[in-house]
């Protein structure tokens, strides 16, 4: 088995990019990070050997695997894109601060632990670069299911005899909130109705995977899900679908460099909103069954954009799209409605010569003729990706530090981009 955690060494890595190279060729998309993490947490609901393939080998997956092993799971295999994990002996119920603070998605174990062990101690993640991101919706939902929850010394302590079915309305659409309560409800007693749930493909996928294990979930992909609790679930066997945010990031990479990239192993319908926006800007996007060709032919125009829960424009692609808009003809108004502080990349892009003004939830991007390379600082996963995209298009050299953010969610980014002709390398 490959070493699970080697966090420390790569923290100082930098990515160096010599810009102004037109990307050309074919690029393959890896499995979806945000699909695999909840599926891994769902393994806690089972007692046996779980097997998943199509796993992207990114840092967040390693962190989740580490957490599952701490809880008493046993990794049987973690090779290439495969993970097998035996959950027979899950008996520990603590997700400690050092793991949760590096990956907020660790909170996905809260619902499954309460359902399986009747106990959970999960660190509160605290704020992060893109906003406060509380867990109040998760907590209130689990309380509605009969769990007793206490917040003490930065931890959520939960206990319950057996979770009970309930009716719960999410005041705000929450992706991991929906996943957490849905997972908990699969093993609860009776019927749970969840209203105003997330409709992201990753949530629908999780519901389908759980149903194959014996869960009774209906309504995934709509606003209301109804879950009939069962007494046990069979171990998971599934293949993770391609990452739509990685797909979108490389679509924008092709557009911003005036490139011609054929992106294979992707699901075009999952990035439709981005496709529409790119076309509106004047970028050529050709869709096939499992591939998308993006041609950045000539100048493109500024277009307005508003992030929203799925099927709206994904907040996880906002930063990358903003990088593109810095070089558009005219103005683009970008409204971020999902997170309250997700414009950290704007200041870095301005240091490259972009013209972005941020006020509250709105960024006004006035297109400039060129960007210039600069030393840059990555602040979160998707903001880092936007800096890479801007650096690919900029004149001269950019040095991006804190690239461990990129490693959390993009598998082999430098390799994938170099194969397309980018001059990109990592300095250890
Ligand atoms: C997930 C994704 C993340 C993406 C986000 C929005 C994973 C692992 N992560 O994050 O990549 O950017 O969806 O598409 O899938 N909120 C509350 N209280 C809560 C929970 C959320 O107020 O208890 C708020 C958040 O602060 C935010 C909004 O709800 O403003 C949406 O957040 P949410 O959908 O929960 O994001 P995550 O599930 O954390």
């Amino acid at each position: 088995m490959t070493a699970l955690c080697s966090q420390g060494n790569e923290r100082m890595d930098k990515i160096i990019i010599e810009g102004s190279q037109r990307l050309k060729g074919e690029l393959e998309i890896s499995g979806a990070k945000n699909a695999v993490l909840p599926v891994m947490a769902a393994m806690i609901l089972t007692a046996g050997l779980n097997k998943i393939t199509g796993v992207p080998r990114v840092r967040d997956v390693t962190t989740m695997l580490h957490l599952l092993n701490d809880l008493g799971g046993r990794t049987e295999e973690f090779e290439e894109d495969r993970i097998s994990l035996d959950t027979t002996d899950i008996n520990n119920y603590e997700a400690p601060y050092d793991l949760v603070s590096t990956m907020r998605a660790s909170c996905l174990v809260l619902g499954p632990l309460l359902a399986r062990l009747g106990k959970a101690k999960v660190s509160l993640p605290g704020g992060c670069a893109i906003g406060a991101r509380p867990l109040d919706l998760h907590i209130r939902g689990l309380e509605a299911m009969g769990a007793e929850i206490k917040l003490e010394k930065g931890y959520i302590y939960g206990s319950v005899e057996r979770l009970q079915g309930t009716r719960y309305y999410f005041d705000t659409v929450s992706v991991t909130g929906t996943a957490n309560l849905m997972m908990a409800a699969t093993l609860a007693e009776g019927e749970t109705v969840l209203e105003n749930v997330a409709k992201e493909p990753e949530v629908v996928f999780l519901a389908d995977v759980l149903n194959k294990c014996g869960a009774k979930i209906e309504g995934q992909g709509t606003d209301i899900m109804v879950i009939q609790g069962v007494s046990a679930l069979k171990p998971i066997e599934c293949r993770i679908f391609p990452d739509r945010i990685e797909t979108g990031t490389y679509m924008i990479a092709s557009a911003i460099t005036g490139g011609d990239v054929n992106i294979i192993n992707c699901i075009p319908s999952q990035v439709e909103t981005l496709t529409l926006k790119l076309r509106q800007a004047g970028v050529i996007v050709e869709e096939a069954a499992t591939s998308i060709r993006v041609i950045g032919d000539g100048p493109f125009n500024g277009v307005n954009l508003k992030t929203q829960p799925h099927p709206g424009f994904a907040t996880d692609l906002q930063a990358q799209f903003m990088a593109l808009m810095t070089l558009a003809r005219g103005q683009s108004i970008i409204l971020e409605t999902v997170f309250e502080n997700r414009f950290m990349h704007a200041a870095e892009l301005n240091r490259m010569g972009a013209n972005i003004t941020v006020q509250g939830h709105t960024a006004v991007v006035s297109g400039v003729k060129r960007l210039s390379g600069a030393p840059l600082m990555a602040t979160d996963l998707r903001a880092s990706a936007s800096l890479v995209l801007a650096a690919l298009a900029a004149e001269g050299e950019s040095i991006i530090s804190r690239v461990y953010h990129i490693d959390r969610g993009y598998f082999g980014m430098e390799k994938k981009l170099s194969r397309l002709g980018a001059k990109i390398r990592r300095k250890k």
Side-chain angles (χ1 to χ4, degrees):
M1 196 188 82
T2 320
L4 281 185
C5 254
S6 56
Q7 312 259 65
N9 292 344
E10 293 115 35
R11 286 187 81 83
M12 303 306 286
D13 288 7
K14 291 182 178 8
I15 284 182
I16 300 167
I17 296 174
E18 185 66 44
S20 306
Q21 306 295 322
R22 197 168 171 255
L23 300 186
K24 209 168 180 325
E26 195 166 85
L27 173 144
E28 187 171 353
I29 296 302
S30 304
K33 170 184 90 73
N34 285 355
V36 75
L37 296 176
V39 167
M40 289 174 78
M43 292 176 177
I44 295 172
L45 300 165
T46 76
L49 189 62
N50 295 267
K51 295 179 185 171
I52 39 179
T53 58
V55 177
R57 289 186 71 95
V58 293
R59 173 69 47 78
D60 276 7
V61 167
T62 323
T63 306
M64 185 58 96
L65 201 52
H66 189 128
L67 174 55
L68 292 172
N69 280 272
D70 276 2
L71 297 175
R74 206 177 55 237
T75 306
E76 297 289 335
E77 189 187 24
F78 182 30
E79 294 299 334
E80 292 170 6
D81 70 344
R82 300 183 303 274
I83 290 180
S84 311
L85 184 99
D86 192 333
T87 48
T88 311
D89 297 326
I90 293 257
N91 55 5
N92 177 14
Y93 52 85
E94 178 174 349
Y97 176 73
D98 57 349
L99 285 182
V100 182
S101 60
T102 60
M103 184 185 69
R104 199 187 130 79
S106 317
C107 71
L108 282 163
V109 301
L110 179 61
L113 282 174
L114 279 172
R116 166 96 183 253
L117 302 176
K119 263 181 175 293
K121 177 183 173 191
V122 175
S123 172
L124 283 161
C128 65
I130 64 177
R133 299 181 85 180
L135 289 179
D136 56 317
L137 300 169
H138 305 232
I139 293 171
R140 266 190 269 139
L142 291 165
E143 280 175 337
M145 297 176 81
E148 203 170 297
I149 309 263
K150 275 190 306 187
L151 301 185
E152 246 174 52
K153 297 183 182 158
Y155 275 84
I156 305 169
Y157 289 83
S159 64
V160 68
E161 190 77 33
R162 185 176 175 195
L163 292 167
Q164 302 295 314
T166 190
R167 200 177 179 97
Y168 183 74
Y169 177 85
F170 284 89
D171 291 331
T172 307
V173 177
S174 166
V175 177
T176 48
T178 302
N180 230 336
L181 295 196
M182 174 184 22
M183 290 189 282
T186 57
L187 293 183
E189 191 171 1
E191 180 180 277
T192 301
V193 180
L194 300 176
E195 294 189 47
N196 198 26
V197 292
K199 293 178 279 201
E200 269 64 5
E202 294 77 14
V203 171
V204 175
F205 179 73
L206 176 65
D208 292 343
V209 166
L210 287 168
N211 279 347
K212 272 201 234 143
C213 302
K216 293 192 173 145
I217 305 169
E218 283 177 5
Q220 55 271 37
T222 74
D223 292 320
I224 300 181
M225 281 199 300
V226 180
I227 302 137
Q228 308 293 340
V230 296
S231 54
L233 294 176
K234 286 182 291 196
I236 293 170
E237 280 199 28
C238 71
R239 180 167 184 83
I240 303 299
F241 63 85
D243 195 308
R244 64 194 168 99
I245 306 302
E246 192 196 14
T247 304
T249 302
Y250 291 124
M251 287 170 74
I252 298 171
S254 184
I256 201 172
T257 60
D260 181 354
V261 178
N262 194 31
I263 298 168
I264 60 167
N265 184 39
C266 64
I267 305 177
S269 61
Q270 289 187 353
V271 285
E272 218 149 51
T273 327
L274 173 65
T275 298
L276 290 174
K277 284 289 159 189
L278 287 174
R279 284 183 179 150
Q280 210 179 323
V283 176
I284 298 169
V285 184
E286 295 170 359
E287 296 171 274
T290 57
S291 65
I292 303 178
R293 183 174 170 200
V294 179
I295 306 167
D297 188 21
F300 44 89
N301 305 316
V303 293
N304 298 338
L305 174 75
K306 180 178 174 183
T307 66
Q308 276 171 317
H310 194 76
F313 192 96
T315 173
D316 282 354
L317 285 171
Q318 178 259 106
Q320 300 88 316
F321 199 82
M322 186 185 289
L324 180 70
M325 289 296 100
T326 62
L327 289 168
R329 277 192 307 213
Q331 204 176 59
S332 157
I333 296 173
I334 298 181
L335 182 60
E336 170 61 58
T337 75
V338 179
F339 291 109
E340 72 267 30
N341 187 23
R342 205 172 197 178
F343 286 138
M344 304 280 279
H345 42 283
E348 290 300 277
L349 293 171
N350 280 346
R351 293 182 54 254
M352 303 176 81
N355 182 356
I356 308 166
T357 323
V358 173
Q359 204 159 53
H361 288 270
T362 309
V364 179
V365 187
S366 303
V368 294
K369 287 239 154 33
R370 62 189 67 83
L371 297 174
S372 51
L376 300 164
M377 184 92 80
T379 49
D380 72 69
L381 172 57
R382 306 306 171 183
S384 318
S386 80
L387 299 183
V388 169
L389 299 184
L392 288 171
E395 287 173 3
E397 184 182 85
S398 295
I399 303 175
I400 305 176
S401 49
R402 300 202 179 161
V403 298
Y404 52 87
H405 289 295
I406 294 176
D407 299 335
R408 282 191 42 216
Y410 287 94
F411 175 62
M413 187 183 239
E414 301 107 84
K415 268 197 196 136
K416 288 186 183 186
L417 286 171
S418 342
R419 276 192 218 117
L420 298 175
K423 290 195 176 158
I424 178 169
R425 66 193 165 85
R426 181 177 289 241
K427 193 170 163 225
K428 295 272 179 197

